[in-house]
Amino acid sequence: MDDKYLLYIDILGFKDLVDNDINKVKDLYQVIASLNVHQHDSFKAIVFSDTILIYNNFPTPDEKTKAYTVMFLCEFVQDLQHRLIGRNITFRAVITYGQFINYEINQIPCFYGAALIDAYLMEKEIPCTGLFITDRCNASNNIFRTQRYSDDLNFVFVTQNLHRLEYEGHSNGWLINELGLTRDVMAETLHIKFIFENMRNHSNPKVSTKYSATWNLYVNQYPKTLELFEQNSFNLNAIYPEIDWDEWLKLIPEDYSYIQEGG
């Protein structure tokens, strides 16, 4: 079985990390090593340099199995996005389907195939950040909302709690607390703040343009919520005043506490 669903993740700005802060590179690899995918026997992950490849190691003969596979690939990206909060690191990722072969010869890993080449070429042409999915794969996506990006790609919103903010109102903080989603709400809010501040302040115009494109995708999907964020300088207490956000923010490493400045 050579055809697989393939998730291709490119860590952005990796060269600058290697050149300027090797400790952040080590921290990044610790984050990657902690991802949920490594605990899931149905998927395999390959990591090399600034690239993460994740694919299914089981057949997908029916629509239920395809939907299961696509859902988990999106959730793996969501997990990475949450774990990168506060580290000033982001990524661009593509989910595609096609030939992907992986095996070892004398402990040397071999991996290749049309899906890998397609994902690599598609990812390099996207002037944006975040997760993208091909039309074929998106046909099996029944969990995460998407927005058309190009002829064969859709942007995937792995920010389900922002949808709750947008369409269920901003006064149900008690419900978020009861459902145990407080950490996820914080992660999604701070991720959006990270995009906004890099759009406004990044020293490289090409990079800020990529963040601007990402921000616009979120604005189109969550216009009321992002307006609220801007008006309140991304202050989490203004969004859900019922929750003690200061306690949750302590989960973020002190070295990266700057992301709540103004909040």
Side-chain angles (χ1 to χ4, degrees):
M1 182 192 66
D2 292 343
D3 286 349
K4 310 281 187 181
Y5 285 90
L6 177 66
L7 168 61
Y8 181 102
I9 303 174
D10 178 24
I11 302 296
L12 302 179
F14 189 76
K15 180 182 181 300
D16 289 340
L17 284 180
V18 174
D19 289 344
N20 300 318
D21 196 338
I22 201 67
N23 287 327
K24 279 193 175 183
V25 177
K26 295 177 180 178
D27 177 66
L28 171 62
Y29 279 128
Q30 287 184 328
V31 168
I32 293 173
S34 72
L35 294 174
N36 293 336
V37 63
H38 303 299
Q39 312 303 320
H40 205 303
D41 294 336
S42 297
F43 295 87
K44 181 162 179 68
I46 303 170
V47 181
F48 59 99
S49 187
D50 59 352
T51 304
I52 308 168
L53 304 178
I54 300 173
Y55 66 91
N56 56 296
N57 59 8
F58 56 90
T60 55
D62 52 56
E63 188 53 44
K64 182 178 180 180
T65 312
K66 293 175 183 177
Y68 168 91
T69 306
V70 171
M71 177 191 71
F72 269 103
L73 292 179
C74 292
E75 287 186 351
F76 294 147
V77 173
Q78 185 181 59
D79 183 38
L80 174 63
Q81 183 169 290
H82 286 189
R83 292 176 190 265
L84 288 178
I85 291 300
R87 288 177 162 84
N88 202 30
I89 298 173
T90 193
F91 58 85
R92 188 165 50 239
V94 173
I95 296 175
T96 189
Y97 179 85
Q99 182 193 56
F100 183 72
I101 301 167
N102 179 30
Y103 56 90
E104 290 189 0
I105 299 178
N106 292 333
Q107 299 182 340
I108 296 175
C110 307
F111 46 91
Y112 55 90
L116 176 57
I117 295 172
D118 290 345
Y120 170 80
L121 294 175
M122 281 188 286
E123 185 272 325
K124 295 304 178 188
E125 293 298 317
I126 300 173
C128 198
T129 68
L131 172 62
F132 297 82
I133 188 170
T134 63
D135 285 344
R136 176 172 182 171
C137 296
N138 199 33
S140 300
N141 168 33
N142 53 26
I143 300 295
F144 293 90
R145 290 168 176 81
T146 62
Q147 186 178 129
R148 170 63 64 186
Y149 181 77
S150 64
D151 288 345
D152 188 42
L153 285 177
N154 308 272
F155 183 80
V156 183
F157 295 91
V158 293
T159 45
Q160 293 156 304
N161 291 291
L162 291 186
H163 182 85
R164 179 176 285 108
L165 280 168
E166 182 74 17
Y167 298 103
E168 297 179 17
H170 306 90
S171 59
N172 57 345
W174 63 272
L175 180 60
I176 293 295
N177 202 27
E178 285 294 315
L179 294 175
L181 298 174
T182 311
R183 184 194 296 243
D184 292 344
V185 170
M186 178 183 69
E188 292 178 17
T189 303
L190 295 180
H191 174 70
I192 292 297
K193 181 177 182 181
F194 169 79
I195 293 170
F196 179 80
E197 294 192 339
N198 276 280
M199 173 185 70
R200 290 287 183 88
N201 303 321
H202 202 285
S203 58
N204 187 328
K206 290 184 178 180
V207 175
S208 62
T209 298
K210 292 178 183 179
Y211 283 109
S212 178
T214 311
W215 174 259
N216 288 335
L217 288 168
Y218 281 105
V219 168
N220 289 336
Q221 190 74 9
Y222 310 120
K224 294 184 294 184
T225 300
L226 266 62
E227 182 181 7
L228 179 70
F229 284 170
E230 284 195 73
Q231 290 175 345
N232 292 278
S233 301
F234 293 84
N235 189 324
L236 285 159
N237 292 314
I239 296 165
Y240 282 132
E242 299 94 338
I243 295 173
D244 186 357
W245 291 107
D246 290 338
E247 287 299 313
W248 285 97
L249 287 166
K250 290 178 182 178
L251 297 171
I252 300 171
E254 288 185 9
D255 290 348
Y256 305 104
S257 59
Y258 70 89
I259 60 177
Q260 181 61 7
E261 287 178 5

